[in-house]
Amino acid sequence: MEPEHSPGDGLAVRTRVGPDYFDDPDRDDAVAAGVRLVNALRRFGVDLDSISAEKVCHTCSHAVRHAYLISLGTVTHPDADDIATQLNAFADEFERMHDALASQPDDKAATTGSTR
């Protein structure tokens, strides 16, 4: 960093900064994506307690493609089995509903669906 003036010129007059000076839009974006993921998983009864947004490299330049990654954390094998069972139960139900809708006559299938 090159000084803009010498000490003999007196103190540099600069605008003061606030906390937003340290804002990190990359982290904000990663956290927003992580929040969406957690909320989506919770809809399926899955809660990852150790999910986090982690900086890829603390000293890298801005040339890093993704400054933050979402780490799903460590999952024990019993927890992994529970999560898989939970997600598979939803997948099985979705498949069952899909097959039931597919087997209906065309006029009923068109009127059956979500009202959301």
Short mmCIF file of all heavy atoms in Angstrom, two decimals, residues 39-94:
data_model
loop_
_atom_site.label_atom_id
_atom_site.label_comp_id
_atom_site.label_asym_id
_atom_site.label_seq_id
_atom_site.Cartn_x
_atom_site.Cartn_y
_atom_site.Cartn_z
N ASN A 39 -34.23 -24.93 5.34
CA ASN A 39 -35.70 -24.88 5.38
C ASN A 39 -36.32 -25.93 4.46
O ASN A 39 -37.33 -26.53 4.81
CB ASN A 39 -36.19 -23.48 5.04
CG ASN A 39 -35.95 -22.51 6.18
OD1 ASN A 39 -35.97 -22.89 7.35
ND2 ASN A 39 -35.70 -21.27 5.86
N ALA A 40 -35.72 -26.16 3.30
CA ALA A 40 -36.23 -27.19 2.40
C ALA A 40 -36.08 -28.57 3.02
O ALA A 40 -37.01 -29.39 2.97
CB ALA A 40 -35.50 -27.13 1.06
N LEU A 41 -34.94 -28.85 3.62
CA LEU A 41 -34.73 -30.15 4.26
C LEU A 41 -35.66 -30.35 5.45
O LEU A 41 -36.16 -31.46 5.67
CB LEU A 41 -33.27 -30.31 4.69
CG LEU A 41 -32.27 -30.49 3.56
CD1 LEU A 41 -30.84 -30.41 4.09
CD2 LEU A 41 -32.50 -31.81 2.84
N ARG A 42 -35.91 -29.29 6.20
CA ARG A 42 -36.81 -29.41 7.35
C ARG A 42 -38.23 -29.75 6.92
O ARG A 42 -38.97 -30.39 7.66
CB ARG A 42 -36.80 -28.12 8.16
CG ARG A 42 -35.57 -28.02 9.03
CD ARG A 42 -35.61 -26.83 9.93
NE ARG A 42 -34.52 -26.90 10.89
CZ ARG A 42 -34.32 -26.02 11.83
NH1 ARG A 42 -35.14 -24.99 11.95
NH2 ARG A 42 -33.31 -26.14 12.66
N ARG A 43 -38.63 -29.35 5.72
CA ARG A 43 -39.95 -29.73 5.21
C ARG A 43 -40.06 -31.23 5.07
O ARG A 43 -41.15 -31.79 5.09
CB ARG A 43 -40.22 -29.06 3.87
CG ARG A 43 -40.37 -27.56 3.98
CD ARG A 43 -40.65 -26.92 2.64
NE ARG A 43 -41.98 -27.31 2.19
CZ ARG A 43 -42.39 -27.18 0.94
NH1 ARG A 43 -41.60 -26.70 0.03
NH2 ARG A 43 -43.61 -27.55 0.61
N PHE A 44 -38.92 -31.90 4.93
CA PHE A 44 -38.88 -33.36 4.80
C PHE A 44 -38.48 -34.03 6.12
O PHE A 44 -38.15 -35.21 6.15
CB PHE A 44 -37.92 -33.77 3.69
CG PHE A 44 -38.40 -33.40 2.33
CD1 PHE A 44 -38.02 -32.21 1.75
CD2 PHE A 44 -39.26 -34.23 1.63
CE1 PHE A 44 -38.47 -31.85 0.48
CE2 PHE A 44 -39.72 -33.89 0.38
CZ PHE A 44 -39.33 -32.68 -0.19
N GLY A 45 -38.45 -33.25 7.20
CA GLY A 45 -38.12 -33.81 8.49
C GLY A 45 -36.64 -34.05 8.71
O GLY A 45 -36.26 -34.82 9.58
N VAL A 46 -35.79 -33.39 7.92
CA VAL A 46 -34.35 -33.56 8.03
C VAL A 46 -33.75 -32.28 8.60
O VAL A 46 -33.99 -31.20 8.10
CB VAL A 46 -33.71 -33.86 6.66
CG1 VAL A 46 -32.20 -33.90 6.75
CG2 VAL A 46 -34.25 -35.18 6.11
N ASP A 47 -32.94 -32.43 9.66
CA ASP A 47 -32.29 -31.28 10.27
C ASP A 47 -30.80 -31.58 10.39
O ASP A 47 -30.40 -32.54 11.04
CB ASP A 47 -32.89 -31.01 11.65
CG ASP A 47 -32.54 -29.64 12.18
OD1 ASP A 47 -31.95 -28.83 11.43
OD2 ASP A 47 -32.85 -29.38 13.35
N LEU A 48 -30.00 -30.79 9.72
CA LEU A 48 -28.54 -30.94 9.79
C LEU A 48 -28.00 -29.91 10.78
O LEU A 48 -27.91 -28.72 10.48
CB LEU A 48 -27.91 -30.74 8.40
CG LEU A 48 -28.36 -31.72 7.33
CD1 LEU A 48 -27.77 -31.35 5.98
CD2 LEU A 48 -27.97 -33.13 7.70
N ASP A 49 -27.65 -30.38 11.97
CA ASP A 49 -27.24 -29.48 13.05
C ASP A 49 -25.93 -28.77 12.78
O ASP A 49 -25.70 -27.66 13.27
CB ASP A 49 -27.12 -30.25 14.37
CG ASP A 49 -28.46 -30.75 14.85
OD1 ASP A 49 -29.49 -30.12 14.52
OD2 ASP A 49 -28.49 -31.78 15.54
N SER A 50 -25.03 -29.37 12.02
CA SER A 50 -23.71 -28.76 11.87
C SER A 50 -23.49 -28.14 10.49
O SER A 50 -22.35 -27.93 10.08
CB SER A 50 -22.62 -29.80 12.17
OG SER A 50 -22.78 -30.93 11.34
N ILE A 51 -24.57 -27.79 9.79
CA ILE A 51 -24.43 -27.12 8.50
C ILE A 51 -23.85 -25.73 8.74
O ILE A 51 -24.13 -25.09 9.74
CB ILE A 51 -25.78 -27.06 7.76
CG1 ILE A 51 -25.59 -26.62 6.32
CG2 ILE A 51 -26.78 -26.19 8.48
CD1 ILE A 51 -26.84 -26.78 5.47
N SER A 52 -22.99 -25.28 7.83
CA SER A 52 -22.37 -23.97 8.00
C SER A 52 -21.94 -23.40 6.65
O SER A 52 -21.84 -24.12 5.66
CB SER A 52 -21.16 -24.07 8.93
OG SER A 52 -20.17 -24.91 8.36
N ALA A 53 -21.70 -22.10 6.64
CA ALA A 53 -21.12 -21.43 5.47
C ALA A 53 -19.65 -21.22 5.80
O ALA A 53 -19.31 -20.57 6.79
CB ALA A 53 -21.81 -20.09 5.22
N GLU A 54 -18.78 -21.79 4.99
CA GLU A 54 -17.35 -21.73 5.27
C GLU A 54 -16.61 -21.04 4.14
O GLU A 54 -16.85 -21.31 2.96
CB GLU A 54 -16.80 -23.15 5.45
CG GLU A 54 -17.40 -23.85 6.65
CD GLU A 54 -16.87 -25.25 6.84
OE1 GLU A 54 -16.02 -25.70 6.04
OE2 GLU A 54 -17.31 -25.91 7.80
N LYS A 55 -15.71 -20.16 4.52
CA LYS A 55 -14.88 -19.47 3.54
C LYS A 55 -13.93 -20.47 2.92
O LYS A 55 -13.31 -21.26 3.61
CB LYS A 55 -14.11 -18.33 4.21
CG LYS A 55 -13.46 -17.39 3.23
CD LYS A 55 -13.04 -16.11 3.94
CE LYS A 55 -12.48 -15.11 2.98
NZ LYS A 55 -13.46 -14.26 2.37
N VAL A 56 -13.82 -20.45 1.60
CA VAL A 56 -12.98 -21.40 0.89
C VAL A 56 -11.52 -21.17 1.22
O VAL A 56 -10.78 -22.09 1.53
CB VAL A 56 -13.22 -21.30 -0.63
CG1 VAL A 56 -12.23 -22.17 -1.39
CG2 VAL A 56 -14.64 -21.71 -0.97
N CYS A 57 -11.09 -19.93 1.19
CA CYS A 57 -9.69 -19.61 1.44
C CYS A 57 -9.63 -18.22 2.07
O CYS A 57 -10.09 -17.25 1.47
CB CYS A 57 -8.90 -19.64 0.13
SG CYS A 57 -7.19 -19.16 0.31
N HIS A 58 -9.08 -18.12 3.25
CA HIS A 58 -9.06 -16.85 3.97
C HIS A 58 -8.07 -15.85 3.38
O HIS A 58 -8.18 -14.67 3.64
CB HIS A 58 -8.77 -17.08 5.45
CG HIS A 58 -9.86 -17.82 6.14
ND1 HIS A 58 -11.04 -17.24 6.49
CD2 HIS A 58 -9.97 -19.13 6.49
CE1 HIS A 58 -11.83 -18.13 7.05
NE2 HIS A 58 -11.21 -19.29 7.06
N THR A 59 -7.12 -16.32 2.59
CA THR A 59 -6.12 -15.41 2.06
C THR A 59 -6.14 -15.33 0.54
O THR A 59 -5.30 -14.67 -0.05
CB THR A 59 -4.71 -15.84 2.51
OG1 THR A 59 -4.47 -17.18 2.07
CG2 THR A 59 -4.58 -15.77 4.03
N CYS A 60 -7.07 -16.01 -0.10
CA CYS A 60 -7.13 -16.01 -1.56
C CYS A 60 -7.65 -14.68 -2.08
O CYS A 60 -8.35 -13.95 -1.39
CB CYS A 60 -8.05 -17.12 -2.06
SG CYS A 60 -7.45 -18.77 -1.67
N SER A 61 -7.34 -14.41 -3.32
CA SER A 61 -7.83 -13.19 -3.96
C SER A 61 -9.30 -13.37 -4.32
O SER A 61 -9.88 -14.43 -4.14
CB SER A 61 -7.00 -12.91 -5.21
OG SER A 61 -7.31 -13.88 -6.20
N HIS A 62 -9.87 -12.34 -4.88
CA HIS A 62 -11.27 -12.40 -5.29
C HIS A 62 -11.46 -13.26 -6.55
O HIS A 62 -12.56 -13.36 -7.06
CB HIS A 62 -11.81 -10.99 -5.52
CG HIS A 62 -11.90 -10.20 -4.26
ND1 HIS A 62 -12.78 -10.52 -3.26
CD2 HIS A 62 -11.20 -9.13 -3.82
CE1 HIS A 62 -12.64 -9.67 -2.26
NE2 HIS A 62 -11.68 -8.82 -2.58
N ALA A 63 -10.38 -13.84 -7.03
CA ALA A 63 -10.47 -14.68 -8.22
C ALA A 63 -11.09 -16.04 -7.94
O ALA A 63 -11.40 -16.79 -8.85
CB ALA A 63 -9.08 -14.87 -8.83
N VAL A 64 -11.27 -16.38 -6.66
CA VAL A 64 -11.89 -17.65 -6.30
C VAL A 64 -13.33 -17.64 -6.79
O VAL A 64 -14.06 -16.68 -6.57
CB VAL A 64 -11.85 -17.87 -4.76
CG1 VAL A 64 -12.57 -19.13 -4.37
CG2 VAL A 64 -10.42 -17.90 -4.28
N ARG A 65 -13.73 -18.70 -7.47
CA ARG A 65 -15.07 -18.74 -8.07
C ARG A 65 -16.18 -18.62 -7.03
O ARG A 65 -17.11 -17.85 -7.18
CB ARG A 65 -15.24 -20.02 -8.87
CG ARG A 65 -16.57 -20.07 -9.56
CD ARG A 65 -16.64 -21.18 -10.57
NE ARG A 65 -17.98 -21.18 -11.14
CZ ARG A 65 -18.57 -22.25 -11.57
NH1 ARG A 65 -17.97 -23.40 -11.55
NH2 ARG A 65 -19.78 -22.19 -12.07
N HIS A 66 -16.09 -19.40 -5.97
CA HIS A 66 -17.07 -19.34 -4.88
C HIS A 66 -16.30 -19.12 -3.59
O HIS A 66 -15.61 -20.01 -3.11
CB HIS A 66 -17.88 -20.64 -4.78
CG HIS A 66 -18.68 -20.92 -6.01
ND1 HIS A 66 -19.80 -20.19 -6.34
CD2 HIS A 66 -18.53 -21.82 -6.99
CE1 HIS A 66 -20.30 -20.64 -7.47
NE2 HIS A 66 -19.54 -21.64 -7.89
N ALA A 67 -16.41 -17.93 -3.04
CA ALA A 67 -15.66 -17.59 -1.84
C ALA A 67 -16.11 -18.40 -0.63
O ALA A 67 -15.32 -18.65 0.28
CB ALA A 67 -15.79 -16.09 -1.55
N TYR A 68 -17.37 -18.81 -0.61
CA TYR A 68 -17.92 -19.60 0.49
C TYR A 68 -18.59 -20.84 -0.06
O TYR A 68 -19.15 -20.83 -1.16
CB TYR A 68 -18.96 -18.79 1.29
CG TYR A 68 -18.35 -17.73 2.14
CD1 TYR A 68 -18.05 -16.48 1.62
CD2 TYR A 68 -18.05 -17.96 3.47
CE1 TYR A 68 -17.49 -15.49 2.39
CE2 TYR A 68 -17.49 -16.98 4.26
CZ TYR A 68 -17.21 -15.74 3.72
OH TYR A 68 -16.64 -14.77 4.49
N LEU A 69 -18.53 -21.89 0.71
CA LEU A 69 -19.23 -23.13 0.39
C LEU A 69 -20.14 -23.48 1.55
O LEU A 69 -19.86 -23.13 2.70
CB LEU A 69 -18.23 -24.27 0.17
CG LEU A 69 -17.28 -24.12 -1.01
CD1 LEU A 69 -16.30 -25.29 -1.05
CD2 LEU A 69 -18.05 -24.05 -2.32
N ILE A 70 -21.20 -24.18 1.26
CA ILE A 70 -22.08 -24.67 2.32
C ILE A 70 -21.57 -26.06 2.70
O ILE A 70 -21.54 -26.97 1.88
CB ILE A 70 -23.54 -24.76 1.84
CG1 ILE A 70 -24.05 -23.39 1.39
CG2 ILE A 70 -24.43 -25.35 2.93
CD1 ILE A 70 -24.00 -22.33 2.47
N SER A 71 -21.15 -26.17 3.94
CA SER A 71 -20.70 -27.46 4.46
C SER A 71 -21.87 -28.10 5.19
O SER A 71 -22.49 -27.47 6.06
CB SER A 71 -19.53 -27.25 5.43
OG SER A 71 -19.25 -28.45 6.11
N LEU A 72 -22.17 -29.32 4.82
CA LEU A 72 -23.28 -30.02 5.46
C LEU A 72 -22.89 -30.59 6.81
O LEU A 72 -23.72 -31.11 7.53
CB LEU A 72 -23.82 -31.11 4.55
CG LEU A 72 -24.34 -30.61 3.20
CD1 LEU A 72 -24.88 -31.78 2.38
CD2 LEU A 72 -25.40 -29.55 3.36
N GLY A 73 -21.61 -30.46 7.15
CA GLY A 73 -21.14 -30.91 8.44
C GLY A 73 -20.90 -32.40 8.48
O GLY A 73 -20.90 -33.08 7.45
N THR A 74 -20.71 -32.90 9.66
CA THR A 74 -20.46 -34.32 9.86
C THR A 74 -21.76 -34.98 10.30
O THR A 74 -22.46 -34.50 11.17
CB THR A 74 -19.39 -34.51 10.96
OG1 THR A 74 -18.22 -33.80 10.56
CG2 THR A 74 -19.07 -35.96 11.16
N VAL A 75 -22.06 -36.09 9.65
CA VAL A 75 -23.27 -36.85 9.96
C VAL A 75 -22.84 -38.25 10.37
O VAL A 75 -22.13 -38.92 9.62
CB VAL A 75 -24.21 -36.90 8.74
CG1 VAL A 75 -25.46 -37.72 9.05
CG2 VAL A 75 -24.58 -35.51 8.28
N THR A 76 -23.27 -38.67 11.54
CA THR A 76 -22.94 -40.03 11.98
C THR A 76 -23.67 -41.03 11.09
O THR A 76 -24.68 -40.70 10.47
CB THR A 76 -23.35 -40.26 13.45
OG1 THR A 76 -24.78 -40.17 13.53
CG2 THR A 76 -22.71 -39.24 14.38
N HIS A 77 -23.16 -42.26 11.05
CA HIS A 77 -23.84 -43.24 10.20
C HIS A 77 -25.26 -43.53 10.67
O HIS A 77 -26.15 -43.72 9.83
CB HIS A 77 -23.00 -44.50 9.97
CG HIS A 77 -22.78 -45.36 11.15
ND1 HIS A 77 -21.77 -45.14 12.05
CD2 HIS A 77 -23.45 -46.45 11.58
CE1 HIS A 77 -21.82 -46.05 12.99
NE2 HIS A 77 -22.83 -46.85 12.73
N PRO A 78 -25.57 -43.57 11.97
CA PRO A 78 -26.98 -43.75 12.34
C PRO A 78 -27.86 -42.58 11.87
O PRO A 78 -28.98 -42.78 11.42
CB PRO A 78 -26.96 -43.85 13.87
CG PRO A 78 -25.57 -44.31 14.20
CD PRO A 78 -24.70 -43.66 13.17
N ASP A 79 -27.31 -41.35 11.98
CA ASP A 79 -28.06 -40.19 11.51
C ASP A 79 -28.24 -40.25 9.99
O ASP A 79 -29.30 -39.90 9.47
CB ASP A 79 -27.38 -38.88 11.90
CG ASP A 79 -27.52 -38.56 13.37
OD1 ASP A 79 -28.37 -39.18 14.05
OD2 ASP A 79 -26.76 -37.68 13.86
N ALA A 80 -27.21 -40.68 9.28
CA ALA A 80 -27.30 -40.82 7.82
C ALA A 80 -28.39 -41.83 7.46
O ALA A 80 -29.18 -41.61 6.52
CB ALA A 80 -25.95 -41.24 7.23
N ASP A 81 -28.46 -42.93 8.19
CA ASP A 81 -29.51 -43.93 7.96
C ASP A 81 -30.90 -43.32 8.21
O ASP A 81 -31.83 -43.53 7.42
CB ASP A 81 -29.33 -45.15 8.86
CG ASP A 81 -28.28 -46.12 8.33
OD1 ASP A 81 -28.01 -46.11 7.11
OD2 ASP A 81 -27.74 -46.89 9.15
N ASP A 82 -31.02 -42.56 9.30
CA ASP A 82 -32.30 -41.92 9.63
C ASP A 82 -32.71 -40.92 8.54
O ASP A 82 -33.88 -40.88 8.13
CB ASP A 82 -32.23 -41.21 10.98
CG ASP A 82 -32.13 -42.16 12.16
OD1 ASP A 82 -32.38 -43.38 11.97
OD2 ASP A 82 -31.79 -41.69 13.26
N ILE A 83 -31.76 -40.12 8.08
CA ILE A 83 -32.04 -39.12 7.04
C ILE A 83 -32.45 -39.83 5.75
O ILE A 83 -33.43 -39.45 5.11
CB ILE A 83 -30.82 -38.21 6.82
CG1 ILE A 83 -30.61 -37.30 8.04
CG2 ILE A 83 -30.99 -37.38 5.55
CD1 ILE A 83 -29.29 -36.54 8.03
N ALA A 84 -31.72 -40.86 5.37
CA ALA A 84 -32.04 -41.62 4.16
C ALA A 84 -33.43 -42.24 4.27
O ALA A 84 -34.22 -42.20 3.31
CB ALA A 84 -30.99 -42.69 3.90
N THR A 85 -33.76 -42.80 5.42
CA THR A 85 -35.08 -43.40 5.63
C THR A 85 -36.17 -42.34 5.48
O THR A 85 -37.19 -42.58 4.82
CB THR A 85 -35.16 -44.05 7.03
OG1 THR A 85 -34.18 -45.09 7.09
CG2 THR A 85 -36.54 -44.61 7.32
N GLN A 86 -35.95 -41.18 6.08
CA GLN A 86 -36.93 -40.09 6.02
C GLN A 86 -37.13 -39.62 4.58
O GLN A 86 -38.26 -39.50 4.11
CB GLN A 86 -36.45 -38.92 6.90
CG GLN A 86 -37.45 -37.79 7.01
CD GLN A 86 -38.64 -38.12 7.86
OE1 GLN A 86 -38.67 -39.12 8.56
NE2 GLN A 86 -39.64 -37.28 7.80
N LEU A 87 -36.04 -39.37 3.87
CA LEU A 87 -36.15 -38.89 2.48
C LEU A 87 -36.75 -39.96 1.57
O LEU A 87 -37.57 -39.65 0.69
CB LEU A 87 -34.79 -38.44 1.96
CG LEU A 87 -34.22 -37.18 2.62
CD1 LEU A 87 -32.81 -36.91 2.12
CD2 LEU A 87 -35.12 -35.98 2.37
N ASN A 88 -36.37 -41.21 1.78
CA ASN A 88 -36.92 -42.30 0.97
C ASN A 88 -38.42 -42.47 1.21
O ASN A 88 -39.17 -42.80 0.29
CB ASN A 88 -36.18 -43.61 1.23
CG ASN A 88 -34.87 -43.66 0.47
OD1 ASN A 88 -34.76 -43.14 -0.63
ND2 ASN A 88 -33.88 -44.28 1.08
N ALA A 89 -38.88 -42.26 2.44
CA ALA A 89 -40.31 -42.34 2.73
C ALA A 89 -41.08 -41.29 1.94
O ALA A 89 -42.13 -41.58 1.37
CB ALA A 89 -40.56 -42.17 4.23
N PHE A 90 -40.54 -40.06 1.88
CA PHE A 90 -41.19 -39.03 1.08
C PHE A 90 -41.13 -39.38 -0.40
O PHE A 90 -42.12 -39.21 -1.12
CB PHE A 90 -40.54 -37.66 1.33
CG PHE A 90 -41.08 -36.96 2.53
CD1 PHE A 90 -40.39 -37.00 3.73
CD2 PHE A 90 -42.27 -36.24 2.48
CE1 PHE A 90 -40.88 -36.35 4.86
CE2 PHE A 90 -42.77 -35.59 3.59
CZ PHE A 90 -42.08 -35.64 4.79
N ALA A 91 -39.98 -39.85 -0.87
CA ALA A 91 -39.85 -40.22 -2.28
C ALA A 91 -40.83 -41.34 -2.64
O ALA A 91 -41.46 -41.30 -3.71
CB ALA A 91 -38.41 -40.65 -2.59
N ASP A 92 -40.97 -42.33 -1.77
CA ASP A 92 -41.92 -43.42 -2.01
C ASP A 92 -43.35 -42.89 -2.09
O ASP A 92 -44.14 -43.32 -2.95
CB ASP A 92 -41.83 -44.49 -0.92
CG ASP A 92 -40.51 -45.26 -0.95
OD1 ASP A 92 -39.80 -45.20 -1.98
OD2 ASP A 92 -40.20 -45.91 0.07
N GLU A 93 -43.69 -41.96 -1.20
CA GLU A 93 -45.03 -41.39 -1.21
C GLU A 93 -45.26 -40.57 -2.48
O GLU A 93 -46.33 -40.65 -3.10
CB GLU A 93 -45.25 -40.52 0.03
CG GLU A 93 -46.62 -39.88 0.11
CD GLU A 93 -47.78 -40.88 0.19
OE1 GLU A 93 -47.56 -42.07 0.46
OE2 GLU A 93 -48.93 -40.45 -0.04
N PHE A 94 -44.26 -39.81 -2.89
CA PHE A 94 -44.39 -39.04 -4.14
C PHE A 94 -44.59 -39.97 -5.33
O PHE A 94 -45.40 -39.71 -6.21
CB PHE A 94 -43.17 -38.15 -4.37
CG PHE A 94 -43.04 -37.00 -3.41
CD1 PHE A 94 -41.80 -36.52 -3.08
CD2 PHE A 94 -44.15 -36.39 -2.85
CE1 PHE A 94 -41.66 -35.46 -2.20
CE2 PHE A 94 -44.03 -35.33 -1.97
CZ PHE A 94 -42.78 -34.87 -1.64
#
